[in-house]
């Protein structure tokens, strides 16, 4: 049985090369966009986790009328979910001098009246130069160490 010439027709090498080139260009554009979206998703999750930790610090304050009892980071499930992407810790807090004329000191733990929670990127998340380390204090003030134009863009 003989196959008619039109039915036996396939793809030429040129057509296959054009298709591969188009796929290559599309993937070269799509992959960096995908990577940025992954970084952004983990950043927003870390910001939400900082807010959850801050709520637990406020609960601690309502029970003991101080943030520093005990001086350990509250337990939150979100910190385990971001393990390998962010580390959560207390940031530096200025302690007023004990006597008049003394100098203030800086400690990396909460004081009776203040705290600073920080989410520091690590691993693949350390490529997030836009926002870097996120911070949240007892007054709800948000901070970032990166190059983003405004702090709010790092928290959305």
């Amino acid at each position: 049985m003989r196959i008619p010439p039109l039915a036996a027709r396939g793809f030429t090498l040129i057509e296959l090369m054009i298709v591969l080139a188009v796929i290559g260009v599309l993937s070269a554009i799509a992959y960096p966009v995908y990577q940025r979206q992954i970084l952004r998703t983990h950043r927003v999750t870390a910001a939400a986790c900082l807010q959850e930790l801050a709520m637990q610090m406020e609960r601690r304050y309502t029970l003991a009328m101080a943030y520093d009892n005990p001086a350990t980071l509250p337990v939150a499930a979100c910190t385990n979910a971001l393990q390998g992407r962010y580390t959560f810790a207390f940031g530096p807090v200025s302690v007023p001098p004990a006597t008049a004329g003394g100098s203030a000191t800086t400690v990396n733990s909460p004081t009776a009246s203040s705290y600073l929670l920080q989410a520091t990127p690590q691993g693949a998340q350390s490529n997030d130069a836009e926002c870097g380390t996120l911070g949240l204090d007892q007054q709800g003030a948000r901070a970032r160490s990166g190059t983003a134009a405004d702090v709010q863009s790092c928290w959305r």
Side-chain angles (χ1 to χ4, degrees):
M1 176 169 167
R2 189 171 165 117
I3 301 173
L6 290 178
R9 186 174 165 165
F11 294 107
T12 65
L13 184 59
I14 301 273
E15 290 170 331
L16 288 175
M17 295 303 286
I18 290 171
V19 169
L20 287 176
V22 168
I23 289 172
V25 168
L26 288 177
S27 63
I29 294 169
Y31 188 71
V33 171
Y34 170 75
Q35 289 298 101
R36 279 194 305 274
Q37 190 62 33
I38 293 293
L39 289 177
R40 184 174 177 267
T41 300
H42 288 296
R43 181 189 329 132
V44 169
T45 304
C49 190
L50 282 177
Q51 291 174 333
E52 182 178 339
L53 292 170
M55 283 189 272
Q56 290 186 18
M57 290 297 290
E58 293 305 321
R59 285 187 202 113
R60 179 182 291 177
Y61 188 82
T62 57
L63 292 174
M65 297 308 289
Y67 292 115
D68 62 349
N69 187 19
T72 57
L73 197 64
V75 177
C78 61
T79 58
N80 291 334
L82 289 166
Q83 200 168 27
R85 293 271 181 182
Y86 279 95
T87 56
F88 295 90
F90 288 112
V93 176
S94 180
V95 178
T99 59
S103 61
T105 57
T106 303
V107 295
N108 282 341
S109 61
T111 66
S113 60
S114 63
Y115 66 86
L116 174 64
L117 293 167
Q118 288 186 325
T120 306
Q122 63 179 11
Q125 196 69 30
S126 61
N127 295 330
D128 185 13
E130 185 180 350
C131 291
T133 300
L134 301 175
L136 184 64
D137 69 7
Q138 78 283 351
Q139 294 176 337
R142 299 170 176 176
R144 53 86 178 89
S145 66
T147 60
D150 64 338
V151 174
Q152 297 308 320
S153 66
C154 294
W155 289 76
R156 306 186 216 133

CSV table of all heavy atoms in Angstrom, one decimal, residues 81-119:
chain,number,residue,atom,x,y,z
A,81,ALA,N,6.9,27.2,58.9
A,81,ALA,CA,6.5,27.1,57.5
A,81,ALA,C,7.5,27.9,56.6
A,81,ALA,O,7.7,27.6,55.5
A,81,ALA,CB,5.1,27.7,57.3
A,82,LEU,N,8.2,28.9,57.2
A,82,LEU,CA,9.2,29.7,56.4
A,82,LEU,C,10.6,29.3,56.8
A,82,LEU,O,11.6,30.0,56.4
A,82,LEU,CB,9.0,31.2,56.7
A,82,LEU,CG,7.7,31.7,56.1
A,82,LEU,CD1,7.4,33.1,56.7
A,82,LEU,CD2,7.9,31.8,54.6
A,83,GLN,N,10.8,28.1,57.4
A,83,GLN,CA,12.1,27.7,57.8
A,83,GLN,C,12.9,27.5,56.5
A,83,GLN,O,12.5,26.9,55.5
A,83,GLN,CB,12.0,26.4,58.6
A,83,GLN,CG,13.2,26.1,59.4
A,83,GLN,CD,13.0,25.0,60.3
A,83,GLN,OE1,12.1,24.1,60.1
A,83,GLN,NE2,13.7,24.9,61.4
A,84,GLY,N,14.2,28.0,56.5
A,84,GLY,CA,15.0,27.9,55.3
A,84,GLY,C,14.9,29.1,54.4
A,84,GLY,O,15.7,29.3,53.6
A,85,ARG,N,13.8,29.9,54.6
A,85,ARG,CA,13.6,31.1,53.8
A,85,ARG,C,13.9,32.4,54.7
A,85,ARG,O,14.4,33.4,54.2
A,85,ARG,CB,12.2,31.2,53.3
A,85,ARG,CG,11.9,30.2,52.3
A,85,ARG,CD,12.2,30.7,50.9
A,85,ARG,NE,11.9,29.8,49.9
A,85,ARG,CZ,12.2,30.0,48.6
A,85,ARG,NH1,12.7,31.1,48.2
A,85,ARG,NH2,11.9,29.1,47.7
A,86,TYR,N,13.4,32.3,56.0
A,86,TYR,CA,13.6,33.5,56.9
A,86,TYR,C,13.9,32.9,58.3
A,86,TYR,O,13.5,31.9,58.7
A,86,TYR,CB,12.2,34.3,57.0
A,86,TYR,CG,12.0,35.2,55.9
A,86,TYR,CD1,11.2,34.9,54.8
A,86,TYR,CD2,12.5,36.5,55.9
A,86,TYR,CE1,11.0,35.8,53.7
A,86,TYR,CE2,12.3,37.4,54.9
A,86,TYR,CZ,11.5,37.0,53.8
A,86,TYR,OH,11.3,37.9,52.8
A,87,THR,N,14.7,33.8,59.0
A,87,THR,CA,14.9,33.5,60.4
A,87,THR,C,14.2,34.6,61.2
A,87,THR,O,14.3,35.8,60.7
A,87,THR,CB,16.4,33.5,60.8
A,87,THR,OG1,17.0,34.7,60.4
A,87,THR,CG2,17.1,32.3,60.2
A,88,PHE,N,13.5,34.3,62.2
A,88,PHE,CA,12.8,35.3,63.0
A,88,PHE,C,13.5,35.5,64.4
A,88,PHE,O,13.9,34.5,65.0
A,88,PHE,CB,11.4,34.8,63.3
A,88,PHE,CG,10.6,34.8,62.0
A,88,PHE,CD1,10.5,33.6,61.2
A,88,PHE,CD2,9.9,35.9,61.5
A,88,PHE,CE1,9.8,33.5,60.1
A,88,PHE,CE2,9.1,35.8,60.4
A,88,PHE,CZ,9.1,34.7,59.6
A,89,ALA,N,13.7,36.7,64.7
A,89,ALA,CA,14.4,37.0,66.0
A,89,ALA,C,14.1,38.4,66.4
A,89,ALA,O,13.5,39.2,65.7
A,89,ALA,CB,15.9,36.9,65.8
A,90,PHE,N,14.5,38.7,67.6
A,90,PHE,CA,14.3,40.1,68.1
A,90,PHE,C,15.5,40.9,67.6
A,90,PHE,O,16.6,40.5,67.5
A,90,PHE,CB,14.4,40.1,69.7
A,90,PHE,CG,13.1,39.6,70.3
A,90,PHE,CD1,13.2,38.4,71.0
A,90,PHE,CD2,11.9,40.2,70.1
A,90,PHE,CE1,12.0,37.9,71.6
A,90,PHE,CE2,10.8,39.7,70.7
A,90,PHE,CZ,10.8,38.5,71.4
A,91,GLY,N,15.2,42.1,67.2
A,91,GLY,CA,16.2,43.1,66.7
A,91,GLY,C,16.7,44.0,67.8
A,91,GLY,O,16.2,43.9,68.9
A,92,PRO,N,17.6,44.9,67.5
A,92,PRO,CA,18.2,45.8,68.5
A,92,PRO,C,17.1,46.8,69.0
A,92,PRO,O,16.5,47.4,68.2
A,92,PRO,CB,19.3,46.4,67.8
A,92,PRO,CG,19.0,46.3,66.3
A,92,PRO,CD,18.2,45.0,66.2
A,93,VAL,N,17.1,46.9,70.3
A,93,VAL,CA,16.2,47.9,71.0
A,93,VAL,C,17.1,48.8,71.9
A,93,VAL,O,17.9,48.3,72.6
A,93,VAL,CB,15.1,47.2,71.8
A,93,VAL,CG1,14.3,48.2,72.6
A,93,VAL,CG2,14.3,46.3,70.9
A,94,SER,N,16.8,50.1,71.8
A,94,SER,CA,17.6,51.0,72.7
A,94,SER,C,17.0,51.0,74.1
A,94,SER,O,15.8,51.2,74.3
A,94,SER,CB,17.5,52.4,72.1
A,94,SER,OG,18.3,53.3,72.8
A,95,VAL,N,17.9,50.8,75.1
A,95,VAL,CA,17.4,50.9,76.5
A,95,VAL,C,17.9,52.2,77.1
A,95,VAL,O,19.1,52.5,77.0
A,95,VAL,CB,18.1,49.7,77.3
A,95,VAL,CG1,17.7,49.7,78.7
A,95,VAL,CG2,17.7,48.4,76.6
A,96,PRO,N,17.0,53.0,77.6
A,96,PRO,CA,17.4,54.3,78.2
A,96,PRO,C,18.4,54.1,79.4
A,96,PRO,O,18.4,53.0,80.0
A,96,PRO,CB,16.0,54.9,78.7
A,96,PRO,CG,15.0,53.8,78.7
A,96,PRO,CD,15.6,52.7,77.8
A,97,PRO,N,19.2,55.1,79.6
A,97,PRO,CA,20.1,55.0,80.7
A,97,PRO,C,19.5,54.9,82.1
A,97,PRO,O,18.4,55.4,82.3
A,97,PRO,CB,20.9,56.3,80.6
A,97,PRO,CG,20.0,57.3,79.9
A,97,PRO,CD,19.2,56.4,79.0
A,98,ALA,N,20.1,54.1,83.0
A,98,ALA,CA,19.6,53.9,84.3
A,98,ALA,C,19.7,55.1,85.2
A,98,ALA,O,18.9,55.4,86.1
A,98,ALA,CB,20.4,52.7,85.0
A,99,THR,N,20.7,56.0,84.9
A,99,THR,CA,20.9,57.2,85.7
A,99,THR,C,20.9,58.4,84.8
A,99,THR,O,21.2,58.3,83.6
A,99,THR,CB,22.2,57.1,86.5
A,99,THR,OG1,23.3,57.0,85.6
A,99,THR,CG2,22.2,56.0,87.5
A,100,ALA,N,20.6,59.5,85.4
A,100,ALA,CA,20.7,60.8,84.6
A,100,ALA,C,22.1,61.0,84.1
A,100,ALA,O,23.1,60.8,84.8
A,100,ALA,CB,20.2,62.0,85.4
A,101,GLY,N,22.3,61.4,82.8
A,101,GLY,CA,23.6,61.6,82.3
A,101,GLY,C,24.2,60.4,81.7
A,101,GLY,O,25.3,60.5,81.1
A,102,GLY,N,23.6,59.2,81.9
A,102,GLY,CA,24.2,58.0,81.4
A,102,GLY,C,23.9,57.8,79.9
A,102,GLY,O,23.1,58.6,79.3
A,103,SER,N,24.4,56.8,79.3
A,103,SER,CA,24.1,56.6,77.9
A,103,SER,C,23.2,55.4,77.7
A,103,SER,O,23.2,54.5,78.5
A,103,SER,CB,25.5,56.4,77.2
A,103,SER,OG,26.1,55.3,77.6
A,104,ALA,N,22.5,55.5,76.6
A,104,ALA,CA,21.6,54.4,76.3
A,104,ALA,C,22.4,53.2,75.8
A,104,ALA,O,23.4,53.4,75.2
A,104,ALA,CB,20.6,54.9,75.3
A,105,THR,N,21.9,52.0,76.0
A,105,THR,CA,22.5,50.8,75.5
A,105,THR,C,21.5,50.1,74.5
A,105,THR,O,20.4,50.4,74.5
A,105,THR,CB,22.8,49.8,76.6
A,105,THR,OG1,21.6,49.5,77.3
A,105,THR,CG2,23.8,50.4,77.6
A,106,THR,N,22.1,49.2,73.7
A,106,THR,CA,21.3,48.5,72.7
A,106,THR,C,21.3,47.0,73.1
A,106,THR,O,22.4,46.5,73.3
A,106,THR,CB,21.8,48.7,71.3
A,106,THR,OG1,21.8,50.1,71.1
A,106,THR,CG2,21.0,48.1,70.3
A,107,VAL,N,20.1,46.4,73.1
A,107,VAL,CA,20.0,45.0,73.4
A,107,VAL,C,19.2,44.3,72.3
A,107,VAL,O,18.4,44.9,71.7
A,107,VAL,CB,19.4,44.7,74.8
A,107,VAL,CG1,20.3,45.2,75.9
A,107,VAL,CG2,18.0,45.3,74.9
A,108,ASN,N,19.5,43.0,72.0
A,108,ASN,CA,18.7,42.3,71.0
A,108,ASN,C,17.6,41.4,71.7
A,108,ASN,O,17.4,40.3,71.4
A,108,ASN,CB,19.6,41.4,70.2
A,108,ASN,CG,20.4,42.1,69.1
A,108,ASN,OD1,20.0,43.2,68.8
A,108,ASN,ND2,21.5,41.6,68.7
A,109,SER,N,16.9,42.0,72.6
A,109,SER,CA,15.8,41.3,73.2
A,109,SER,C,14.8,42.4,73.6
A,109,SER,O,15.1,43.6,73.7
A,109,SER,CB,16.2,40.5,74.4
A,109,SER,OG,16.8,41.4,75.4
A,110,PRO,N,13.6,42.0,73.9
A,110,PRO,CA,12.6,43.1,74.2
A,110,PRO,C,12.9,43.6,75.6
A,110,PRO,O,13.4,43.0,76.5
A,110,PRO,CB,11.2,42.3,74.2
A,110,PRO,CG,11.6,40.9,74.4
A,110,PRO,CD,13.0,40.7,73.8
A,111,THR,N,12.5,44.9,75.8
A,111,THR,CA,12.6,45.5,77.1
A,111,THR,C,11.2,45.5,77.7
A,111,THR,O,10.2,44.9,77.1
A,111,THR,CB,13.1,47.0,77.0
A,111,THR,OG1,12.1,47.7,76.3
A,111,THR,CG2,14.4,47.0,76.3
A,112,ALA,N,11.0,46.0,78.9
A,112,ALA,CA,9.7,46.1,79.5
A,112,ALA,C,8.6,46.8,78.6
A,112,ALA,O,7.5,46.5,78.6
A,112,ALA,CB,9.7,46.7,80.9
A,113,SER,N,9.1,47.8,77.9
A,113,SER,CA,8.2,48.7,77.1
A,113,SER,C,8.4,48.7,75.6
A,113,SER,O,7.6,49.4,74.9
A,113,SER,CB,8.3,50.1,77.6
A,113,SER,OG,9.6,50.6,77.4
A,114,SER,N,9.3,47.9,75.1
A,114,SER,CA,9.5,47.9,73.6
A,114,SER,C,10.1,46.6,73.1
A,114,SER,O,10.7,45.8,73.9
A,114,SER,CB,10.4,49.0,73.2
A,114,SER,OG,11.7,48.9,73.8
A,115,TYR,N,9.9,46.3,71.8
A,115,TYR,CA,10.5,45.2,71.2
A,115,TYR,C,10.6,45.5,69.7
A,115,TYR,O,9.9,46.4,69.2
A,115,TYR,CB,9.7,43.9,71.4
A,115,TYR,CG,8.3,44.0,70.7
A,115,TYR,CD1,8.1,43.6,69.4
A,115,TYR,CD2,7.2,44.3,71.4
A,115,TYR,CE1,6.9,43.6,68.8
A,115,TYR,CE2,5.9,44.4,70.8
A,115,TYR,CZ,5.8,44.0,69.5
A,115,TYR,OH,4.5,44.1,68.9
A,116,LEU,N,11.4,44.8,69.0
A,116,LEU,CA,11.5,44.9,67.5
A,116,LEU,C,11.7,43.4,67.0
A,116,LEU,O,12.6,42.7,67.4
A,116,LEU,CB,12.8,45.7,67.1
A,116,LEU,CG,13.1,45.7,65.6
A,116,LEU,CD1,11.9,46.4,64.8
A,116,LEU,CD2,14.4,46.4,65.3
A,117,LEU,N,10.7,43.0,66.3
A,117,LEU,CA,10.7,41.7,65.6
A,117,LEU,C,11.3,41.8,64.3
A,117,LEU,O,11.0,42.8,63.5
A,117,LEU,CB,9.3,41.1,65.5
A,117,LEU,CG,8.6,40.7,66.9
A,117,LEU,CD1,7.2,40.5,66.6
A,117,LEU,CD2,9.3,39.5,67.5
A,118,GLN,N,12.2,40.9,63.9
A,118,GLN,CA,12.8,40.9,62.6
A,118,GLN,C,12.7,39.6,61.8
A,118,GLN,O,12.9,38.6,62.5
A,118,GLN,CB,14.3,41.3,62.7
A,118,GLN,CG,14.5,42.8,63.0
A,118,GLN,CD,16.0,43.2,63.0
A,118,GLN,OE1,16.8,42.4,63.3
A,118,GLN,NE2,16.2,44.4,62.6
A,119,ALA,N,12.5,39.7,60.5
A,119,ALA,CA,12.5,38.5,59.7
A,119,ALA,C,13.7,38.7,58.7
A,119,ALA,O,13.6,39.6,57.8
A,119,ALA,CB,11.2,38.3,58.9
